[in-house]
Amino acid sequence: MSLFGKVKSTIGLLKNIDLDQLAKINEQIDLSEAMAALGNLDERQLKGLMKMLKTKRRKGQHDLPPIDGDFYNLDLKLNEEQRELQLKVRNFMEDEVRPLINDHWNRAKFPFEVIEGFKKLNIVGVPYEGYGCPNLPFLMEGIIAQEIARVDVSISTFFGVHSGLAMGSIYLCGSEEQKQEWLPKMQRLEKIGAFGLTEPNVGSGVAGGLETTCKFDGENWVINGQKKWIGNATFADVVIIWARDEDSNQVKGFLVRKENPGFKAEKMKDKMALRIVQNALITLTDCKVPESDRLQNANSFKDTANVLRMTRAGVAWQAVGCSRGAYESALKYTKKREQFGRPIASYQLIQNHLVEMISNLTSMQTLCFRLSELQDQDLLTDEHASLAKVYCSMRMRDVVSRAREVMGGNGILLEYDVARFVADAEAIYSYEGTKEINTLIVGRAITGYSAFVS
């Protein structure tokens, strides 16, 4: 177009522009940035934008509030750096993980490609000091657990087992040499860890005695027994194995490497929950472990309990994330799904379910926020962690059930995500201490009487 043509076209354009309206728009957005952004759109994108702008609202239609499970704005309690990290994790989970998660869940496969993304986020070993770890507050470990579980509980479990249980065992119970050998590599996800405590016949009763035994033969520790439900164990480089010393009857911890003779990990199949998590049945047959791979500061079950106490808060946060993911998915659905000519979100019975869900979710969030504050102040007790785990896992069950309810038949389809949250919630409800065990821990604390069967 010639210069004269451009000038004529510009004059014609100006005649059709309401300068007062333009001034009002300029008060809300940077017009120069808007023009630059529009200039970068291709023809298809411009047509889509114009179609959206020309679409007329139906009678009674209005701007709808955003879908956000943080009803009490707890994110405002985070500082700028913490909030930035939270959003980085959220964006990674939304952009890189969500598109592939249902397919992998359905096939019970682990998406190993996500590990590279976690490396870039640098969020492994969040609360630990040294060894390349971020050394951030425990609160951020909880926030990260929530953000990961908000998209997928299985990936959150993988992360919690590796970063929490496995690395935490080494961090709390390992010698300095063991920490230097393992923690930096695990922080960079160059080595993957697992945690072997639960057994085929021993779950809630681990404090009363493990069937897996260990005995020092003068040169090595010889371990015999089985472990069950061990997440990450099919591909882990090291598994923390807890065993009862035949001589002292005390629990000891070991760094069992995947190449150790006598170590065998078999994938558990046909699970209805956490299908992405690669749980294994581990069999240890005269498995020899050198003294240098015995956790030097793990000499009784009290040391094991210290690890569980530290990580149980993260499981409560997982329940929050699972609930938030289910709630937000359900809310989004009810705003789009129409029956009798109206979005179902406009009906009283649906709103009742949604309000019950956000009430449960908000109470869980505030409880966990305070729990992490206690942990950061070194005031966390067993009963604090147990109360959070038992309460949040119960409320989570109610939230996911209502999410499935408002979605009707579509609630059982993977494509809407809620079915996956419903199934995975059952695993959270059971692991890291059942409702009954955690209830008795809290009951003992508030009454002074132990109701455990001895």
Side-chain angles (χ1 to χ4, degrees), residues 17 41 45 57 67 88 90 112 153 187 195 223 229-230 290 346 348 371 400 423:
I17 291 178
L41 297 180
Q45 291 170 322
R57 291 178 178 174
I67 296 172
K88 280 184 179 180
R90 179 176 300 178
F112 288 98
V153 178
Q187 198 282 328
F195 180 88
I223 306 176
W229 299 109
I230 311 308
S346 67
Q348 291 180 356
L371 181 74
V400 299

Side-chain angles (χ1 to χ4, degrees), residues 53 245 279 288 299 400 407 409 433 440-441:
L53 294 173
D245 187 346
N279 294 96
K288 293 185 178 181
N299 299 304
V400 299
M407 296 179 75
L440 293 181
I441 292 173

Side-chain angles (χ1 to χ4, degrees), residues 60 62 64 331 333-352 354:
H62 57 281
L64 299 177
L331 178 58
Y333 178 86
T334 61
K335 289 184 175 185
K336 291 183 176 181
R337 175 71 168 177
E338 293 189 0
Q339 290 290 283
F340 310 107
R342 294 167 54 188
I344 64 173
S346 67
Y347 291 105
Q348 291 180 356
L349 291 177
I350 296 296
Q351 289 191 5
N352 177 69
L354 292 170

Side-chain angles (χ1 to χ4, degrees), residues 90-108:
R90 179 176 300 178
N91 291 336
F92 168 71
M93 292 301 298
E94 289 288 348
D95 298 340
E96 304 298 328
V97 179
R98 187 181 291 279
L100 53 80
I101 213 65
N102 281 338
D103 176 63
H104 283 75
W105 193 94
N106 198 36
R107 295 186 295 115

Side-chain angles (χ1 to χ4, degrees), residues 175 178 181 221 255 257 289-296:
S175 65
Q178 291 168 337
E181 178 182 1
W221 288 89
L255 293 153
R257 305 166 192 249
V289 179
E291 168 65 13
S292 58
D293 280 348
R294 180 180 67 83
L295 290 175
Q296 299 298 302

Side-chain angles (χ1 to χ4, degrees), residues 232-250:
N232 302 354
T234 61
F235 59 89
D237 297 285
V238 62
V239 182
I240 308 299
I241 294 291
W242 301 92
R244 177 176 54 84
D245 187 346
E246 291 184 14
D247 294 324
S248 67
N249 209 37
Q250 293 294 330

